[in-house]
Each structure stands twice: as structure tokens, then as C-alpha cells.
Amino acid sequence: MRELNENSSKEEIRAYIDNIMQRDRKQKVKSGQENNHSDAQQLKVEMISQIKQRVKDDGNQLVELDNLKTKVLKYIVYKKRTEKEVRQKFSSSSISQELLDEVIEDLKENGYINDEGYIQRAVNEFLAINTLSLKEIRNKLYAKGLERDIIDTYFSKHGEQLEEYEAECAKKIVIKKRTQMEQEDIENFLYRKGYTRESVRLAFEE
């Protein structure tokens, strides 16, 4: 590009300025393209890094989920447990609550955790003891973490059978203690254990 001197005309000066402006614009465009390309590359690198990290995290989570499910299965296969018992056993700072919820829901869907089914087995075990009042059985079921409405439904459905059981148990206790205690003391003993007045009355009938 021709340099100006003191003899340069106005047209030459104007042309010189136009050339400089065009050159600056080209440089800015080129610089902008380079910056855009650089930004795009950086963004691509960051996205790839994030994707890799997400895949890694998902993989680690799947491993944790599988390990936790295996531990819970061993715990409930050895002996049937309620949902509350499982939560108490595996609730700790080292176990993700979200993962535990997922494992429990999966096991409930597949029938491994079933509080409704659990109550029947538990009651059968308690009935075999032959000295428990229905109140004591209820309290044992509450201690297992079973919901009150599930227990109430079971007792309502099997009410007659359970009442007969309690009366028989009371009678066995009366027969056993009659030679050692007065009737009033036996009655008070039964009441403390939660036996109903009707069960106690029937227990003393010949």
C-alpha cells in the first residue's frame, strides 16, 4: 500500500484511510473466527469430559446398587423381614438413602419384602408360644414395624380364631397356676398380660 507524504492529494489520503479500515476489519473477522473456533473446541472438550464423568458415576452407582441389593437379599432370605427392619439394618451414613429406597421398592415389587404376607408368618410363630395375649401379639407386630392398619385388618379378618386362641391360652395359664396362686391373683396376672375380661372369664369356666 502506497505511503502518504506531504504532497498527497485528498483522494489519496481518503483511499489510504479506506485501505487501513478494510485491513482492520479483515483482521477482526479473522481474529473472531479464531476465537470462535477456540471456544468451540473448549466447549467440546468440556462436554466430552462431563459425559465421561457421568458414565463413570452411573457405572459406580450401578455397582453400589447391585452390592446393596445383594446384601439386603441375604438379610431377608435368611429370615423374612419387614420393610422397617430392612431400613433399620441398612440405614447409615455410608449408604445412600436414594439407593436404599430403590432397592426396597424393587424387592417389594418382586415379593421379597411383603408386610402383608409377613404378618401371617409372624402371628403363626407367636401363636405357637401358647401364652401370649392378643395385646402382646399386637405389640410384637408393632415392634416389627408393621403398619397399624395392616395389623388391624388381619385381626379383623381372623377375629374369631384369635379370640378362641386367647381364651385357650388363658385357660392353660389358669390350670398351671391354680395350685400356686389364688384366683384373684391369677386374674390380675392375666390382665397385666393384656388378656380381655371375656378371655379371663372363660378361662375359669369348668
Side-chain angles (χ1 to χ4, degrees):
M1 183 174 63
R2 180 184 173 185
E3 297 295 331
L4 298 178
N5 56 50
E6 59 182 7
N7 297 319
S8 298
S9 65
K10 292 181 179 180
E11 288 75 11
E12 289 174 330
I13 294 173
R14 188 177 294 111
Y16 182 83
I17 293 173
D18 288 341
N19 286 332
I20 291 176
M21 292 177 66
Q22 289 178 9
R23 184 186 63 189
D24 289 345
R25 280 197 295 270
K26 289 179 181 179
Q27 289 177 344
K28 288 180 180 178
V29 170
K30 182 179 179 181
S31 176
Q33 290 174 341
E34 291 175 350
N35 289 336
N36 289 339
H37 179 70
S38 176
D39 291 343
Q41 285 293 106
Q42 180 64 29
L43 181 60
K44 182 179 179 181
V45 170
E46 291 177 357
M47 289 179 66
I48 292 175
S49 176
Q50 290 174 3
I51 291 171
K52 287 182 177 178
Q53 185 62 46
R54 191 177 301 123
V55 169
K56 181 180 179 182
D57 292 342
D58 290 344
N60 290 338
Q61 190 174 51
L62 285 174
V63 171
E64 289 181 30
L65 182 66
D66 186 63
N67 289 339
L68 179 58
K69 186 180 293 185
T70 300
K71 291 178 182 178
V72 175
L73 274 172
K74 287 182 179 178
Y75 178 64
I76 64 179
V77 167
Y78 172 73
K79 182 181 179 181
K80 294 298 182 182
R81 312 283 183 173
T82 64
E83 179 179 341
K84 181 179 179 180
E85 288 177 314
V86 173
R87 290 191 179 279
Q88 288 178 333
K89 174 69 175 179
F90 294 96
S91 291
S92 69
S93 57
S94 62
I95 296 177
S96 165
Q97 185 62 46
E98 184 178 347
L99 286 182
L100 181 58
D101 289 341
E102 188 173 344
V103 167
I104 288 176
E105 287 305 311
D106 181 63
L107 295 177
K108 285 168 67 176
E109 289 178 6
N110 289 283
Y112 290 100
I113 297 176
N114 184 341
D115 285 356
E116 286 80 2
Y118 177 92
I119 191 172
Q120 179 65 65
R121 291 186 295 272
V123 169
N124 287 340
E125 291 178 5
F126 297 145
L127 295 183
I129 297 174
N130 284 329
T131 58
L132 296 176
S133 68
L134 296 185
K135 182 177 180 180
E136 288 175 309
I137 290 177
R138 277 182 175 272
N139 289 337
K140 286 181 177 294
L141 293 172
Y142 292 144
K144 293 291 184 179
L146 291 162
E147 297 293 336
R148 184 177 295 272
D149 59 341
I150 298 176
I151 297 173
D152 289 343
T153 299
Y154 180 86
F155 272 70
S156 176
K157 188 179 297 184
H158 301 85
E160 185 175 345
Q161 173 192 350
L162 293 172
E163 288 170 5
E164 289 178 1
Y165 155 82
E166 184 179 77
E168 286 298 317
C169 286
K171 185 170 292 187
K172 289 177 181 178
I173 292 174
V174 169
I175 293 172
K176 181 178 180 180
K177 292 186 176 295
R178 181 169 272 168
T179 58
Q180 309 165 12
M181 300 168 62
E182 297 295 329
Q183 178 171 331
E184 183 179 354
D185 294 331
I186 298 174
E187 289 177 351
N188 289 333
F189 173 80
L190 292 172
Y191 290 144
R192 286 195 299 272
K193 284 177 64 66
Y195 282 88
T196 64
R197 290 191 175 276
E198 179 64 13
S199 294
V200 174
R201 183 187 68 78
L202 293 172
F204 283 96
E205 287 186 351
E206 296 295 339

